[in-house]
Structure formats: structure tokens, C-alpha cells
Amino acid sequence: MARLKSRFLVDVLLRRTESAGGFATILAKGDDDSGIILIQCSERGRPGPLLERCFSVGGHYSWQAVGPDDPDDGVSRANYQERRRRADPDLWIIELDIADAPRLVAEWAALT
């Protein structure tokens, strides 16, 4: 089975978020073909979880909550994202501001 490119997946997520009435933007552009995707969830400007798309042992992708436990700790959250970006310059960082962003990510992931 062919693997979908990261840029395509990001574009689909951006369109899906905007069509559902939310806001989505690329904070850091990663590798078009195979960059890992990190999503910064928020709702009406209030921070939510950080979700990262990871390749599982079973050969499928899954979404895992990553980063600091307290989403309101903006400094720790920014530091985490900066460390991840330094460690992996191919990393995409996407911000979603929509009601129940994790649910939207799960629905989107089911399509891919």
C-alpha cells in the first residue's frame, strides 16, 4: 500500500479544520514527503494537548499525546516544540483552533 506524503496529509487536515469552522495554520514546515506531524490543539485560544503522529510496531500510524502535562504552561510547551524541531528539522508543527480538536484529528486519521 502506498504511503501518503506528509504535505498531502497536512493540506487535508488544514482544509478539514477550516471546513468545520476552525482555524488551522502551519507553524513549522517539515519534509514534504515523510516529515513527522505534531499538532498543537487549542479551542478558542485555550491550549489543549500536543498530538504527534507516530509509526507503531504494527505497521500503522497512531496519535499520541506528547509534551508537558500542563497545556497551560506555555513556556514548557514552547520549549518542547523547539527541542523537537531541533532534533528533527523535518518535523511539521500544525496549530488547530477548533472545538474538540483531538476528535477532529482522530476522524482525519481514520481517513488516511
Side-chain angles (χ1 to χ4, degrees):
M1 179 159 97
R3 196 171 105 188
L4 298 174
K5 295 185 178 202
S6 296
R7 179 63 204 218
F8 175 78
L9 294 171
V10 166
D11 287 342
V12 169
L13 179 61
L14 296 176
R15 286 189 193 99
R16 190 159 174 78
T17 302
E18 290 169 359
S19 71
F23 171 79
T25 191
I26 298 171
L27 299 177
K29 184 182 181 300
D31 181 71
D32 285 344
D33 293 332
S34 61
I36 292 177
I37 301 170
L38 175 70
I39 297 177
Q40 176 179 304
C41 299
S42 61
E43 185 173 343
R44 296 183 181 183
R46 177 139 173 84
L50 292 173
L51 303 174
E52 187 171 322
R53 185 174 184 244
C54 303
F55 196 67
S56 68
V57 177
H60 296 90
Y61 285 99
S62 64
W63 287 91
Q64 297 178 354
V66 296
D69 290 333
D70 182 7
D72 290 324
D73 185 353
V75 173
S76 294
R77 191 175 172 109
N79 288 339
Y80 175 81
Q81 290 179 34
E82 184 179 317
R83 282 193 314 273
R84 284 290 292 121
R85 185 79 173 144
R86 272 196 316 256
D88 183 2
D90 294 334
L91 177 74
W92 289 84
I93 301 177
I94 310 300
E95 179 180 1
L96 301 183
D97 193 333
I98 188 168
D100 201 8
R103 180 193 50 77
L104 179 80
V105 169
E107 289 174 0
W108 165 75
L111 299 174
T112 59

